[in-house]
Amino acid sequence: IYCYNYYYNSEQKAQSAWSKWVFDNAEILNADFKDNWLYIVAQYSDGVYFLKMNFSPKNKESNLDYLFFLDRKVYLDSDNLIYDNLTNTTSFTLPYTPDNELTVLEERGFPLDYIIDDNTVIVEGEYNQLVIGNVYNSTWKLSKIFVRQQSSNGGLKVREGILMLRDINLTYTNSGYFKVKVTPKYSTAITSIFEFTGKITGLISATLEQIPVSDGTFLIPITSKNDEIDIEVINDSYLPSDFLSLEWLGDFIIRGQ
């Protein structure tokens, strides 16, 4: 599914971007919006399923300030969970046959080990609420960074010259995990990966027995020419990541006047 996002500042379009969502092992048969929900009919290997996505602003879990990002996410409660006192295990039956590795979360967001037999999933311990689904990869590839200047008609134009990037400060909010992949175009053997895990010493995000979700800035060293580097922000976990802005620092050399 291809999505077009745009942002207007007064009456001018300030930003726009295309993105795409890839549904693993599924064929999209139909999709339609009603209110804040997107409803999808999808063909999987074991049958046709009716899926839905909530597009409400600031959507979050009922007992947390953020959302678990999982595909084919299912909420389970005491009506669906079976506790075995003899083995001290909780089991449930999935409403679909999983094609990929599952992620099972308890209500605070901590992942649980499990075993699966056909569509029956078993976890150790007693639980009244669980969330289950598939983790997916979310990738944001940064556009090429330029020095821009005001044009005669009031817009912005790219200024000619050589820009050597040094650092990027990425401003994030309500984020628990992401990583930044920096790849020189002409030497992929020296790709650098910078990982953010949410835990920051001295802040409440570092408290034990809590999922680390925090706000702040993340410094990314670049040291490369602006058009000779690829920068990707990747989230391949179930935790949220939300980005507000970025600032870059570099050396700009004008070729001639």
Side-chain angles (χ1 to χ4, degrees):
I1 294 181
Y2 289 86
C3 302
Y4 181 64
N5 300 288
Y6 54 89
Y7 170 70
Y8 274 87
N9 185 7
S10 297
E11 296 183 357
Q12 286 189 335
K13 185 186 292 184
Q15 289 182 329
S16 63
W18 279 98
S19 60
K20 68 176 180 179
W21 302 337
V22 179
F23 292 75
D24 289 339
N25 309 311
E27 179 185 356
I28 306 301
L29 302 179
N30 191 34
D32 203 357
F33 265 99
K34 181 175 176 58
D35 298 327
N36 289 326
W37 289 88
L38 171 64
Y39 296 92
I40 299 172
V41 180
Q43 172 77 61
Y44 285 87
S45 59
D46 61 328
V48 177
Y49 288 86
F50 189 57
L51 314 174
K52 64 179 182 178
M53 288 184 181
N54 189 351
F55 279 76
S56 301
K58 298 182 179 179
N59 186 24
K60 59 184 181 180
E61 303 295 333
S62 59
N63 59 328
L64 297 169
D65 291 329
Y66 56 89
L67 191 68
F68 301 139
F69 286 87
L70 296 169
D71 267 348
R72 307 189 79 180
K73 181 164 63 172
V74 178
Y75 292 95
L76 302 164
D77 55 24
S78 55
D79 294 333
N80 315 106
L81 299 171
I82 301 173
Y83 176 66
D84 189 331
N85 189 43
L86 295 177
T87 60
N88 188 32
T89 58
T90 301
S91 63
F92 55 91
T93 301
L94 279 174
Y96 57 83
T97 301
D99 292 321
N100 301 317
E101 183 178 354
L102 296 171
T103 295
V104 181
L105 306 174
E106 48 98 49
E107 60 182 337
R108 295 174 301 167
F110 288 98
L112 301 174
D113 294 329
Y114 67 90
I115 58 175
I116 185 169
D117 182 13
D118 290 331
N119 281 21
T120 300
V121 180
I122 302 171
V123 296
E124 185 176 353
E126 183 178 6
Y127 295 96
N128 295 318
Q129 288 184 331
L130 292 175
V131 182
I132 189 167
N134 300 124
V135 170
Y136 59 88
N137 287 355
S138 178
T139 302
W140 166 33
K141 185 173 182 179
L142 270 63
S143 303
K144 195 178 298 181
I145 295 174
F146 293 105
V147 174
R148 291 174 170 83
Q149 65 182 16
Q150 202 79 18
S151 63
S152 57
N153 61 3
L156 293 174
K157 66 177 182 179
V158 175
R159 190 171 184 182
E160 293 296 329
I162 299 173
L163 174 60
M164 295 296 297
L165 293 173
R166 292 167 57 185
D167 298 313
I168 286 178
N169 256 324
L170 185 62
T171 303
Y172 61 87
T173 183
N174 201 33
S175 297
Y177 178 83
F178 60 85
K179 58 186 176 183
V180 181
K181 182 179 178 182
V182 180
T183 308
K185 285 187 176 180
Y186 306 113
S187 181
T188 56
I190 55 174
T191 295
S192 300
I193 295 179
F194 307 95
E195 191 176 38
F196 172 79
T197 61
K199 285 191 177 293
I200 301 174
T201 304
L203 297 183
I204 194 171
S205 63
T207 304
L208 296 177
E209 299 298 322
Q210 289 187 10
I211 295 295
V213 174
S214 58
D215 308 331
T217 57
F218 188 67
L219 179 64
I220 310 161
I222 303 296
T223 319
S224 179
K225 196 167 178 284
N226 67 320
D227 57 356
E228 295 180 359
I229 198 83
D230 287 328
I231 306 170
E232 294 176 303
V233 183
I234 302 168
N235 188 344
D236 54 5
S237 80
Y238 65 91
L239 292 174
S241 57
D242 196 3
F243 307 102
L244 301 178
S245 65
L246 63 84
E247 296 178 345
W248 58 265
L249 177 66
D251 299 314
F252 183 64
I253 303 169
I254 301 175
R255 288 179 175 174
Q257 293 279 20

